[in-house]
Amino acid sequence: VDEAGEREFTEYFRVRRDAVRRTAFLLCGDWHRADDHAQAAFVALHRHWRRIRDHAALDAWMRRTLVRAVVDESRRPWRRERSTAEPADGTSVPSASDAVATRHVLVDGLRSVPPRQRAVLVLRFLEGLDIAGTAAALGCTEGTVKSQTAHGLATLRMVLGDSLDDLRPAG
Amino acid sequence: MTDDERLAALFRAAATDTAAPPPRFDHDDVVAASRRITARRRSAMAGGALTVLAVLGIGAVVAIPGSSRDDATSTAAAPFAASGQAGPGDAAAPDGAAPELAAPVPPAGGADVPQALRGVPPFTGTPLGPGTAECADRQDPALRAFVEQVLPEVVGAPEAATTMECRPAGERGVNVEVRDGDAAGLLTVQYLPPGVIVSLVSGAVSAPTASGGTVVIYSRPAETGAPVPFAGRVDTAAAFLAPRL
């Protein structure tokens, strides 16, 4: 990376680090792993900086790299995350009476959603991508995004029950 | 407020964690890691190129035709070069029958070797063994070179995104986005050093290697239910890689 490229990267890192960490956190549910994933994505970005011609698409590139890394990690051949439709140990989920509880309830619930479905939910509802954008980020069809969204939300609702009213369909 | 808007607000609230720990990395960490990887990759590529040159040199010496039967024996040990070519000893073969020495050398393992590997000479080099980098290379060039020999579709395949988690130094890995005919997906090949016990997920294949480690191969489709790349060839790949790692 030349000097100008280094300056651009430094600025991009300064502006985007926290957002990338937050996305990684919701994708994996753990701040330490989120830092690992976010750092890995930035390292990959730095290594590919010269080859990424469309710098307007940097966010999309980072999103794609981050999501794939998290999903890839969860699918390591000898340590797969276990998906469950029930809260661990059958314990009740805390009520969402305030913002802190809301955060914990949702993050705990997301841990029970399979990684790829979780990625779809995070891209759509945190990153604000539409179906086409989510499909592009994940390298899958729009139909897959729709079905994964439905399955992911269904799992989340099943896990959380009535803890989060906002997860109930309106009407 | 629509369902999507309510969900978006919920996700944003969940992601805004005021109790989040401070970042464990800064800009300097990122740049240093990037440069370290680039330097290591260049070094590995240079080493790989030297290895290829050395192998080509040995192959050339072995394949030089001579006039004695001993030379024919040497040629038979390199069937890729000798196949279909009349060697100096062939003229003496009665009734044009293929000379016995030109037959493929049975690989070590005999009946246990997959059909696809019959005819491939047994590997007599030094097994690759555990990696020596500070952290395991998730895209190990030396391992990839072997993978490309048994799965040629891997040649030119883009590297898949992997984490920068520092895996134990003895491991080696190759993670590539592959296309095998109509099947597309992700191929993961991992060498684990001696003493590492693993439990495999469904679909993954493992084999003990010559250095006492384990090779794990896992091919999965890009989408659930889609055709799996290299379906039916993963066992063969594991059998090919085992004596080389």
Side-chain angles (χ1 to χ4, degrees):
Chain A
V1 182
D2 58 21
E3 199 172 322
E6 289 287 4
R7 278 198 302 272
E8 291 170 1
F9 176 82
T10 300
E11 179 62 12
Y12 183 81
F13 179 86
R14 187 185 66 77
V15 171
R16 292 291 299 165
R17 178 178 63 176
D18 289 345
V20 172
R21 286 183 80 221
R22 280 197 298 270
T23 301
F25 172 65
L26 278 199
L27 285 170
C28 70
D30 176 276
W31 277 111
H32 287 300
R33 285 174 58 209
D35 271 343
D36 287 344
H37 290 306
Q39 182 176 5
F42 277 114
V43 170
L45 178 66
H46 185 266
R47 293 187 61 227
H48 291 87
W49 189 263
R50 275 192 310 177
R51 278 179 275 172
I52 300 175
R53 293 180 180 176
D54 183 6
H55 279 209
L58 282 175
D59 289 351
W61 192 97
M62 281 293 282
R63 224 176 265 130
R64 183 181 164 92
T65 301
L66 187 65
V67 167
R68 290 196 171 191
V70 174
V71 173
D72 174 64
E73 182 70 10
S74 69
R75 288 176 168 178
R76 192 184 298 155
W78 58 90
R79 189 186 69 88
R80 186 197 284 270
E81 274 190 13
R82 192 175 297 280
S83 168
T84 173
E86 297 176 0
D89 305 327
T91 52
S92 61
V93 183
S95 65
S97 57
D98 55 27
V100 174
T102 298
R103 184 169 62 243
H104 288 163
V105 166
L106 187 63
V107 171
D108 285 347
L110 278 173
R111 288 196 185 104
S112 299
V113 177
R116 202 166 171 83
Q117 292 176 17
R118 192 191 313 152
V120 169
L121 296 183
V122 171
L123 289 178
R124 290 208 56 200
F125 300 120
L126 177 64
E127 295 282 323
L129 298 187
D130 59 14
I131 290 174
T134 305
L138 289 170
C140 65
T141 65
E142 294 185 16
T144 300
V145 171
K146 290 177 186 173
S147 64
Q148 299 269 33
T149 303
H151 289 311
L153 284 177
T155 304
L156 207 49
R157 288 184 182 115
M158 197 186 327
V159 172
L160 300 180
D162 294 333
S163 299
L164 290 177
D165 290 343
D166 284 342
L167 284 175
R168 288 204 201 110
Chain B
M1 187 182 280
T2 65
D3 276 354
D4 281 6
E5 288 169 344
R6 286 189 301 137
L7 285 165
L10 200 56
F11 273 72
R12 279 197 301 273
T16 310
D17 190 346
T18 51
R24 293 193 301 157
F25 65 98
D26 59 19
H27 171 266
D28 290 346
D29 295 330
V30 169
V31 173
S34 169
R35 289 178 178 156
R36 196 165 54 237
I37 291 170
T38 301
R40 199 172 63 201
R41 192 138 303 176
R42 281 180 185 152
S43 169
M45 286 176 70
L50 285 174
T51 303
V52 168
L53 285 174
V55 169
L56 287 176
I58 293 169
V61 170
V62 170
I64 290 173
S67 57
S68 72
R69 193 158 180 85
D70 287 341
D71 288 334
T73 304
S74 297
T75 305
F80 297 129
S83 177
Q85 298 176 2
D90 292 357
D95 303 320
E100 185 181 344
L101 289 173
V105 176
D112 292 338
V113 174
Q115 183 68 32
L117 293 183
R118 307 260 163 118
V120 176
F123 180 72
T124 56
T126 304
L128 202 53
T132 56
E134 180 184 350
C135 295
D137 193 342
R138 311 292 292 273
Q139 302 288 1
D140 188 290
L143 176 57
R144 178 165 178 154
F146 282 136
V147 174
E148 289 176 346
Q149 287 178 31
V150 68
L151 299 172
E153 294 88 343
V154 173
V155 175
E159 294 181 353
T162 58
T163 66
M164 291 301 299
E165 175 192 9
C166 185
R167 300 288 306 158
E171 294 184 6
R172 296 175 184 271
V174 169
N175 300 272
V176 281
E177 296 176 14
V178 291
R179 178 166 287 281
D180 173 25
D182 292 335
L186 184 67
L187 176 73
T188 299
V189 180
Q190 199 79 20
Y191 168 85
L192 303 170
V196 177
I197 309 295
V198 299
S199 78
L200 302 179
V201 298
S202 174
V205 167
S206 73
T209 72
S211 64
T214 305
V215 60
V216 180
I217 306 180
Y218 186 42
S219 177
R220 54 183 180 270
E223 293 185 32
T224 306
V228 179
F230 310 124
R233 294 162 64 193
V234 175
D235 285 327
T236 300
F240 178 86
L241 293 172
R244 292 163 172 78
L245 301 179

